Amino acid sequence: MSLLLTFLASLFLGTPAHAQVPVIRIDGSSTVFPITEAMAEEYQTMKRGKVRVTVGISGTGGGFKKFCRGETDVQNASRPIQAGEIQKCQEKGIRFLELPIAYDATAIVVSPKNTWLKAITTEELKKMWEPAAQGKILLWSDVNPAWPKEKLKLFGAGADSGTFDYFTEAVVGKAKSSRGDYTASEDDNTLVTGVANDINSIGYMPLAYAEENISKLRIVPVIGGPKSPKKNEAVIPARSTVESGEYFPLSRPVFIYVNEKSLAKAEIVEFTNFFLQKCPTIVPEVKYVPLPAAAYRIGQEHVKIKKVGTVFGGHTEIGVKIEDLMKRESAR
């Protein structure tokens, strides 16, 4: 930007032309991105250009690489921080606050032209996606003989995505354990386009992206099996079924992580508290499930006292209900 443009911007935004505008650096999950993007826009509007917020999309895994090197202030994460990432942070002297901000569901989606798939079981999903399926499960009928003898085209999250980690652990039984011959992307809009344009496709993506593109996609109910509260009933992902724990095992908490050192900056403290204060209104606006108000109050208290660490022990847990998460946060 030229000096003239900088000066003109300062007049309109209320920032002195000579001032260095503080920058809050955020990266990580594409799943959490819509929430944080909305928060960043509202916060910057409130600050009238006196603080700039940048929000990248490197995926949860890619974001943690930057966060644990101290390159970002805030990390968007669609799963808890893992043991290896905790170690990397420790090696660089990075201590962090773990702040749950919402619940998300992973939606199974097909083209609206697909008329045969009324529901799908977690066993059928495993048969599609496990590593042993590569080169063998090639047709819809290979999964279920009642389905067409048509080529099965798979779309899903890339390996740096927290959605990939969670989906593979919830469905296959081990994080990052997946067949490799599918169309993978950290950009959920790429997945939307791929599934929408092919009648023989199936994919998984955050519920918010599926709902945003409901005219292009059809969301498939999931039968969660014996560990599900609904046993053998098909359950559609929605706010009510996520809150009740009925959409099992594909619902989960999502987070922001804040570098403790960054909290030495007033704008980071202000933005983090702003984020937690706005969650009850913004989270549902962008089609995620908000936590109870008490959860955000606990988060603000943790920011105040700089409560560092994680309640997940360095691994992902499947089927953690909102009330269980609340108990853990209250006990910290």
Side-chain angles (χ1 to χ4, degrees):
M1 182 181 288
S2 69
L3 291 174
L4 176 60
L5 289 175
T6 302
F7 177 73
L8 291 173
S10 73
L11 293 179
F12 283 104
L13 298 175
T15 303
H18 59 81
Q20 183 68 38
V21 177
V23 178
I24 299 173
R25 301 159 300 167
I26 306 173
D27 207 320
S29 167
S30 63
T31 301
V32 183
F33 174 80
I35 302 174
T36 304
E37 180 188 39
M39 297 291 182
E41 288 176 356
E42 287 216 10
Y43 179 74
Q44 288 176 113
T45 298
M46 181 188 77
K47 297 300 291 183
R48 301 182 65 211
K50 294 179 181 177
V51 179
R52 188 160 67 93
V53 185
T54 64
V55 188
I57 311 176
S58 296
T60 297
F64 268 125
K65 290 174 185 175
K66 297 179 181 181
F67 183 76
C68 293
R69 291 195 297 259
E71 296 173 8
T72 54
D73 302 297
V74 180
Q75 157 74 358
N76 291 331
S78 60
R79 55 151 173 82
I81 189 170
Q82 305 293 285
E85 293 159 345
I86 293 173
Q87 183 178 347
K88 292 291 185 184
C89 280
Q90 289 173 340
E91 289 170 359
K92 293 293 185 179
I94 305 295
R95 285 156 45 102
F96 55 81
L97 283 71
E98 178 182 79
L99 301 170
I101 57 165
Y103 259 70
D104 175 47
T106 300
I108 307 301
V109 295
V110 294
S111 164
K113 295 179 182 178
N114 179 322
T115 58
W116 65 84
L117 192 63
K118 306 301 183 185
I120 193 164
T121 69
T122 50
E123 281 302 309
E124 288 166 339
L125 286 169
K126 181 179 180 181
K127 194 171 181 180
M128 285 181 181
W129 287 95
E130 64 187 347
Q134 185 162 333
K136 295 180 181 179
I137 304 299
L138 303 176
L139 306 176
W140 280 89
S141 56
D142 291 336
V143 181
N144 186 327
W147 295 342
K149 291 183 178 180
E150 299 288 345
K151 186 175 180 181
L152 177 65
K153 298 181 181 179
L154 299 168
F155 293 81
D160 268 342
S161 168
T163 300
F164 173 79
D165 293 343
Y166 189 85
F167 179 84
T168 49
E169 185 154 342
V171 168
V172 179
K174 182 180 179 182
K176 299 187 182 298
S177 179
S178 173
R179 68 189 297 169
D181 56 340
Y182 72 98
T183 301
S185 179
E186 271 81 25
D187 184 347
D188 294 297
N189 293 310
T190 300
L191 305 180
V192 169
T193 302
V195 175
N197 291 337
D198 195 322
I199 189 174
N200 292 314
S201 65
I202 186 170
Y204 65 89
M205 64 184 63
L207 177 61
Y209 284 92
E211 290 186 333
E212 185 179 321
N213 294 278
I214 200 62
S215 63
K216 304 174 185 177
L217 302 169
R218 182 166 66 83
I219 299 172
V220 181
V222 174
I223 300 171
K227 293 183 179 180
S228 168
K230 285 292 187 178
K231 306 298 181 189
N232 294 315
E233 293 183 35
V235 179
I236 198 81
R239 177 169 177 171
S240 59
T241 57
V242 171
E243 286 179 337
S244 67
E246 293 172 329
Y247 187 65
F248 178 93
L250 294 176
S251 60
R252 55 176 175 169
V254 296
F255 310 84
I256 59 170
Y257 288 78
V258 182
N259 186 329
E260 182 195 29
K261 291 179 181 177
S262 295
L263 291 174
K265 303 172 186 176
E267 66 271 13
I268 305 292
V269 175
E270 183 182 55
F271 175 74
T272 305
N273 282 318
F274 177 89
F275 197 119
L276 294 169
Q277 288 165 3
K278 290 289 185 178
C279 273
T281 53
I282 288 181
V283 166
E285 283 178 7
V286 291
K287 302 188 185 301
Y288 290 76
V289 178
L291 301 175
Y296 301 119
R297 290 195 294 270
I298 292 169
Q300 287 180 281
E301 180 60 26
H302 288 175
V303 172
K304 182 179 179 180
I305 65 175
K306 296 184 180 180
K307 185 75 172 180
V308 298
T310 173
V311 299
F312 288 89
H315 61 273
T316 300
E317 295 179 34
I318 304 305
V320 177
K321 295 181 180 180
I322 291 177
E323 59 263 34
D324 296 332
L325 180 65
M326 287 289 295
K327 288 176 185 176
R328 294 185 190 188
E329 291 298 321
S330 297
R332 285 180 67 184

